[in-house]
Amino acid sequence: SLYEWKLMKFCKEGWTVVDLFGGSFSVAIACYKLGFSLDIVEGDATIYSDGLKRFKKHIAQKTLF
């Protein structure tokens, strides 16, 4: 929710967010929730793969409400 707050506070509708340190894809999840486009960079292939798995798992979850 911190990244969601930051995006809502500092980004405008239609912007593309650039995350140069993809890591756990937390920014990617926040962008997905809020509808922002995202360009993501992660220099370590293993970390990128793990983060992408986390992101795919998140978007595959169904919401209850």
Side-chain angles (χ1 to χ4, degrees):
S1 36
L2 174 62
Y3 289 119
E4 290 177 44
W5 176 82
K6 287 174 130 181
L7 290 171
M8 289 188 296
K9 182 141 179 87
F10 298 108
C11 296
K12 295 181 181 175
E13 186 177 333
W15 282 14
T16 297
V17 175
V18 178
D19 183 4
L20 299 176
F21 306 97
S24 63
F25 276 56
S26 295
V27 174
I29 291 170
C31 285
Y32 175 79
K33 286 181 175 181
L34 297 175
F36 284 100
S37 297
L38 173 70
D39 289 336
I40 194 164
V41 177
E42 175 53 60
D44 186 294
T46 303
I47 292 173
Y48 180 86
S49 177
D50 291 345
L52 187 58
K53 286 177 193 173
R54 177 177 178 239
F55 177 76
K56 287 181 177 181
K57 182 178 178 181
H58 176 81
I59 64 172
Q61 292 178 345
K62 303 292 183 203
T63 57
L64 294 176
F65 305 101

